[in-house]
Amino acid sequence: MPDSFVIQPRGAAPVTGAMDAAPEPLRLDPAFGPLIAHIDDAVTDVFVNGPAGLFVDRGSGADPVSGWRASEREVRDLAVALVGLGGRHLDDQAPCVDVRLDSGIRVHAVLAPVSTMGTALSIRIPRVRAADLEALAALGSFGARQQAWLLGLVAERANILITGGTGTGKTTLLSALLSEVPATERIVTIEDVAELRPRHPHHVALEARQANVEGAGGITLARLVRESLRMRPDRLVVGECRGEEVRELLTALNTGHDGGAGTMHASGLRDVPARLEALGALAGMDAVALARQAVSAFTVVLHLDRAPGGVRRIRQAGRLVMAGDRLDIEEVTPW
């Protein structure tokens, strides 16, 4: 059996300059077993719902794979093998595990009976073809005027908050923006599971660590944000704000760390203030303190969605403002 199976991305354009090599082809370990036949360069996500079915997403939503057959034991063994590739252990004592493989693939597994329909696998495939703004523009994510505006935000060291639902391309756009940062600057990214892979010669990635079964050894995003401030970052980035780390990020962006960025789940641009307030509450911040920090911290909010045809795009841009003592947002059209 070969050591790995290679998926060569179609249409991957070379990048000139310090990062002059095209993205490496995705390599699938033999542990992916029966899934290999269903993963090509167009696939962004793979879902195994116990023995009930296999679904793949090629950018237009999850589609069922006809003819898929697997027993619960086979799916569980597959999940254990894939989690093992990431150096983690999956069993009845730790039935929910999230890992990142060396290839950049992210695997989330939940064993039965926690997953009532049988062992569930959610696999995120990195978008190797969308490594820079040029590639994203070619895919229809934004037009030429929007692209020029985005390049200006990077050059002006704007602090950017990228929002949107699951699978709208937040991480992909953030990676593309970071790829435009001057090569002389140092980027430090902080993520729950490291997915950001900008084409940049000086990128340091920090990844949170879950506690072991004894409850020891965990390293939170909030702690990593504090640690990163001692690493002299020129650009400080939190891959996804989902808890108390929003306090540390806001503090950092309000104390001279320009050019930073973060992403956050939100259903719409108008939902961003309430979402930030909810995260601030988890960090012990009241609504007034959160509003003042957020307005000062972020230059612009970019909200993404998926068009009916599956294209991930910048739907709206906004600016956080104060409305009395509460946080609000105004839509802007800078392009």
Side-chain angles (χ1 to χ4, degrees), residues 90-97 109-112 114:
L90 181 69
D91 58 20
D92 292 334
Q93 297 299 313
C96 305
V97 175
V110 183
L111 293 181
V114 177

Side-chain angles (χ1 to χ4, degrees), residues 312-327:
R312 295 161 173 85
R313 61 186 180 178
I314 299 178
R315 180 62 182 271
Q316 295 169 292
R319 181 171 61 92
L320 294 169
V321 296
M322 295 286 292
D325 288 333
R326 299 297 294 273
L327 185 64

Side-chain angles (χ1 to χ4, degrees), residues 7 19 60 65 68 80 83 90 92 99 103 113 132 146 162 185 202-203 217 238 256 258 298 320 323:
I7 294 176
M19 306 297 284
S60 57
V65 176
W68 166 262
V80 170
V83 168
L90 181 69
D92 292 334
V99 297
S103 60
D132 53 34
Q146 287 177 309
I162 301 176
E185 296 186 17
H202 198 168
H203 169 219
V238 176
D258 295 330
F298 292 112
L320 294 169

Side-chain angles (χ1 to χ4, degrees), residues 194-279:
E195 293 181 294
L196 287 166
R197 294 193 169 195
R199 292 184 176 185
H200 194 277
H202 198 168
H203 169 219
V204 179
L206 303 181
E207 183 177 73
R209 187 172 68 188
Q210 297 178 358
N212 59 24
V213 292
E214 286 81 24
I219 299 178
T220 66
L221 290 176
R223 176 179 172 184
L224 288 180
V225 173
R226 294 193 296 271
E227 295 291 338
S228 71
L229 298 178
R230 301 179 178 91
M231 299 173 67
R232 215 222 72 180
D234 293 301
R235 308 268 180 161
L236 177 61
V237 177
V238 176
E240 181 182 340
C241 293
R242 61 176 66 183
E244 61 176 331
E245 65 277 358
V246 71
R247 176 183 56 209
E248 278 71 24
L249 177 61
L250 291 174
T251 300
L253 297 183
N254 275 298
T255 54
H257 290 276
D258 295 330
T263 74
M264 183 182 72
H265 276 81
S267 300
L269 190 67
R270 299 299 310 173
D271 297 324
V272 170
R275 182 82 173 112
L276 279 170
E277 286 184 354
L279 296 183

Side-chain angles (χ1 to χ4, degrees), residues 10-219:
R10 292 192 296 266
V15 175
T16 58
M19 306 297 284
D20 56 359
E24 293 184 0
L26 185 64
R27 298 184 180 276
L28 296 179
D29 190 277
F32 280 83
L35 299 181
I36 292 172
H38 304 286
I39 301 177
D40 55 44
D41 65 293
V43 172
T44 61
D45 296 271
V46 178
F47 308 104
V48 182
N49 301 337
L54 170 67
F55 294 78
V56 298
D57 189 342
R58 290 183 169 83
S60 57
D63 296 317
V65 176
S66 60
W68 166 262
R69 296 289 185 273
S71 66
E72 168 59 22
R73 171 51 61 184
E74 289 170 330
V75 176
R76 182 181 176 118
D77 289 346
L78 175 63
V80 170
L82 292 179
V83 168
L85 290 179
R88 298 291 303 278
H89 189 66
L90 181 69
D91 58 20
D92 292 334
Q93 297 299 313
C96 305
V97 175
D98 192 25
V99 297
R100 176 186 53 83
L101 309 185
D102 290 341
S103 60
I105 294 175
R106 181 171 176 171
V107 177
H108 183 268
V110 183
L111 293 181
V114 177
S115 173
T116 61
M117 300 298 292
T119 297
L121 273 169
S122 305
I123 302 171
R124 172 66 59 89
I125 311 294
R127 295 294 299 272
V128 294
R129 292 180 297 164
D132 53 34
L133 292 180
E134 288 288 345
L136 285 178
L139 291 172
S141 297
F142 41 76
R145 293 182 64 184
Q146 287 177 309
Q147 183 178 349
W149 177 67
L150 291 172
L151 287 169
L153 291 178
V154 176
E156 295 163 8
R157 300 184 59 82
N159 291 332
I160 303 170
L161 178 63
I162 301 176
T163 65
T166 301
T168 53
K170 298 185 296 297
T171 299
T172 301
L173 176 60
L174 183 51
S175 286
L177 291 171
L178 294 176
S179 296
E180 303 295 338
V181 170
T184 55
E185 296 186 17
R186 174 178 170 90
I187 300 172
V188 178
T189 60
I190 299 156
E191 297 176 88
D192 191 34
V193 175
E195 293 181 294
L196 287 166
R197 294 193 169 195
R199 292 184 176 185
H200 194 277
H202 198 168
H203 169 219
V204 179
L206 303 181
E207 183 177 73
R209 187 172 68 188
Q210 297 178 358
N212 59 24
V213 292
E214 286 81 24
I219 299 178

